[in-house]
Amino acid sequence: METPHVAHRRTNAPRCPAGRIARKAGLRSACVLTAGVLLAGCSDVSHIGHSLFGKTTPIVTGYIGTVVADEPRAALIGRDVLVHGGNAADAAAAVGMALSVTLPSRASLGGGGACLVTRANETPQAFTFLPASAPAAPATRQAALPMTPRGLFTMQLRYGTVEFADLLSPSVRLARSGTTVSRVLAGDIAAVQTALFADDAAHTVFSRPDGTPLQNGDALVQPQLASFLERMTNLGVGDLYNGALGAIFVEGANKAGGGLSTSAMRKAMPLQLAPLKLEQDGYTASFLPPPADGGIGAAVAFRSGGSAQGAVATWRSEDRHGLSSEALLSAAQTLVNSGSTYNGTLPALPASTSFVVTDDKGGAVACALTDNNLFGTGRMADGTGVLLAAAPGRYPAPLLAAAILQRRGTLVGAMAASGQNDAADAVAQAARAALVGTTVPHEGQGRVNASLCKGGECHGDTDPRGGGLSVGSINN
């Protein structure tokens, strides 16, 4: 199938795209990136073909790939990016930014995460952009630096095909016009209602007119977040880290007790890293590397069948403060290669969310996002509509896990999971299912989103116990 004409399409960025990253993301040097169901009614992105790919862009029919996510509206946005000719990285960036509107309890703009990305016949790369520490004066409710916009931008710049700003348009519309509260978001609001509603801005956004919590099926309208996203669309992601938008965000965050600074925002950088890798029976399995240490647990469990949580508990029990990214990767790979099984448990871990995207060209993205706590700090940066993620160290680190399985460069499967302590085990089980060609098991507390591939086509799989959605092909 020919790739349709795509307005504003760009060529793939070079491996160290210094000029473009520095201009668009505000990074001082690109080499900071170290080597190494369908819903009732129509999609919220009915005009995406006009705003993203041009008025005459034909819709791609037949097999387009898959999008699997914990929140349905975000999944539909990713599907429509694929329909209009975008690739997996384009769709994944759109999904991640949409989740900041539709599932901010777990994927706010103020949070962060990690992704594995690949194209056909290429070794996957990892992008880690965990919610970062913000050295500042003591704060009443110390917040993390917002890493999701910069992390998704960097990933999409390296692997995507269109301008990132165009991928923000659906999120702006969702925030301004409103989206439907999903079962997952309604449950999250109910779980922390008392603490969340102590913040007036959060209470206004996440409650009905009578002050009671929003319920599944209610409308969620976020005009301040829409304005914030629209300015980011117009001025670029870099403005959040190096410009006036960043100053506005820091001021609003500090009014909410966040303790951020513009200098810390400028220095907060995502990392591009080599993944953890395992070879088995002609297959190559790639896992998220540290600091996303759920990948360590998933790799150990995939290899030995042991406890992923036990492996992570062992990893976290040793002090590796100050080690470089390369040294951390080497230590983690050594632990995985040992073939040992590990005991131990972790304390109750923060919530997260995951999604997986594949395209019709053999590309794949598997991501996990978090606010370091359900609804982060429970407060919004004043005047922005952005929920502030909790600072690292305030709670135990979340377990972010994702994997990509290939055979001689051909995609076999991609998977990512949430479910707190059981997320890494769920990824390992899904990877083993892809390896042997069985269905993905859904057991325990882990919630895995997966896409398993055969004969050049993939099919999505989301946990039936959750509220997620898997979408893919469009018929002629």
Side-chain angles (χ1 to χ4, degrees):
M1 181 184 299
E2 288 187 355
T3 301
H5 171 72
V6 177
H8 310 301
R9 181 174 288 277
R10 66 173 188 237
T11 58
N12 288 328
R15 291 189 178 274
C16 194
R20 298 185 70 176
I21 291 181
R23 288 195 301 272
K24 292 188 177 182
L27 306 185
R28 289 173 295 175
S29 167
C31 292
V32 167
L33 299 178
T34 56
V37 191
L38 290 169
L39 299 180
C42 63
S43 165
D44 290 289
V45 285
S46 57
H47 302 296
I48 195 169
H50 289 196
S51 63
L52 177 57
F53 297 115
K55 295 181 180 180
T56 61
T57 302
I59 290 178
V60 180
T61 57
Y63 177 70
I64 58 169
T66 59
V67 183
V68 193
D70 290 332
E71 200 288 315
R73 293 284 178 180
L76 288 171
I77 284 176
R79 185 277 308 270
D80 283 359
V81 171
L82 295 178
V83 165
H84 289 92
N87 70 8
D90 299 321
V95 171
M97 295 303 290
L99 286 168
S100 72
V101 178
T102 64
L103 196 58
S105 54
R106 297 164 183 257
S108 165
L109 288 180
C115 297
L116 275 175
V117 191
T118 192
R119 289 189 287 251
N121 300 310
E122 291 189 8
T123 297
Q125 290 287 292
F127 292 83
T128 62
F129 45 97
L130 279 66
S133 297
T140 56
R141 189 72 67 87
Q142 185 70 53
L145 294 166
M147 294 301 295
T148 292
R150 205 170 217 175
L152 291 176
F153 171 87
T154 304
M155 179 273 294
Q156 191 270 341
L157 178 67
R158 170 66 179 83
Y159 281 87
T161 60
V162 302
E163 296 299 324
F164 186 82
D166 292 333
L167 299 169
L168 291 173
S169 298
S171 296
V172 174
R173 285 195 295 275
L174 283 171
R176 176 167 289 120
S177 300
T179 185
T180 303
V181 175
S182 66
R183 180 152 54 97
V184 176
L185 180 58
D188 288 349
I189 296 171
V192 296
Q193 172 191 343
T194 301
L196 182 66
F197 284 7
D199 181 71
D200 289 341
H203 191 183
T204 298
V205 169
F206 298 111
S207 68
R208 291 172 162 177
D210 63 2
T212 59
L214 290 175
Q215 302 293 314
N216 182 22
D218 286 347
L220 172 64
V221 183
Q222 302 169 82
Q224 288 187 335
L225 182 59
S227 296
F228 189 86
L229 284 165
E230 187 167 44
R231 179 157 186 174
M232 192 186 302
T233 301
N234 294 333
L235 299 179
V237 172
D239 199 57
L240 176 59
Y241 298 90
N242 292 290
L245 187 60
I248 291 170
F249 179 80
V250 168
E251 180 180 1
N254 290 343
K255 285 182 179 179
L260 304 186
S261 69
T262 54
S263 62
M265 292 280 287
R266 285 194 296 271
K267 296 174 183 176
M269 302 293 180
L271 297 175
Q272 180 178 338
L273 303 165
L276 294 168
K277 293 173 65 175
L278 284 172
E279 305 282 346
Q280 183 174 334
D281 299 328
Y283 293 85
T284 301
S286 300
F287 299 86
L288 284 175
D293 57 12
I296 299 172
V300 168
F302 173 78
R303 173 171 181 147
S304 68
S307 166
Q309 184 178 180
V312 176
T314 297
W315 172 261
R316 292 186 180 183
S317 69
E318 300 180 11
D319 182 13
R320 295 180 178 83
H321 181 74
L323 290 183
S324 67
S325 298
E326 292 80 4
L328 284 173
L329 177 62
S330 177
Q333 190 70 61
T334 297
L335 185 150
V336 170
N337 290 346
S338 72
S340 301
T341 56
Y342 299 91
N343 297 318
T345 58
L346 295 165
L349 300 179
S352 60
T353 188
S354 73
F355 61 93
V356 169
V357 181
T358 62
D359 62 32
D360 60 357
K361 304 170 188 66
V365 182
C367 298
L369 303 178
T370 185
D371 291 335
N372 277 350
N373 187 43
L374 200 61
F375 286 97
T377 64
R379 300 184 182 187
M380 287 184 168
D382 187 62
T384 70
V386 177
L387 277 165
L388 297 169
R394 183 175 178 87
Y395 303 97
L399 203 59
L400 303 185
I404 289 177
L405 192 67
Q406 296 169 302
R407 182 175 175 84
R408 300 187 181 93
T410 299
L411 184 65
V412 176
M415 52 284 303
S418 58
Q420 283 100 322
N421 295 50
D422 288 350
D425 286 292
V427 164
Q429 291 168 2
R432 292 175 70 85
L435 180 69
V436 299
T438 59
T439 58
V440 175
H442 296 290
E443 52 195 30
Q445 297 301 309
R447 295 288 187 271
V448 66
N449 291 312
S451 186
L452 305 188
C453 313
K454 186 176 182 180
E457 294 191 4
C458 306
H459 69 273
D461 185 293
T462 189
D463 195 316
R465 301 169 298 174
L469 180 67
S470 170
V471 287
S473 299
I474 302 297
N475 295 324
N476 288 301

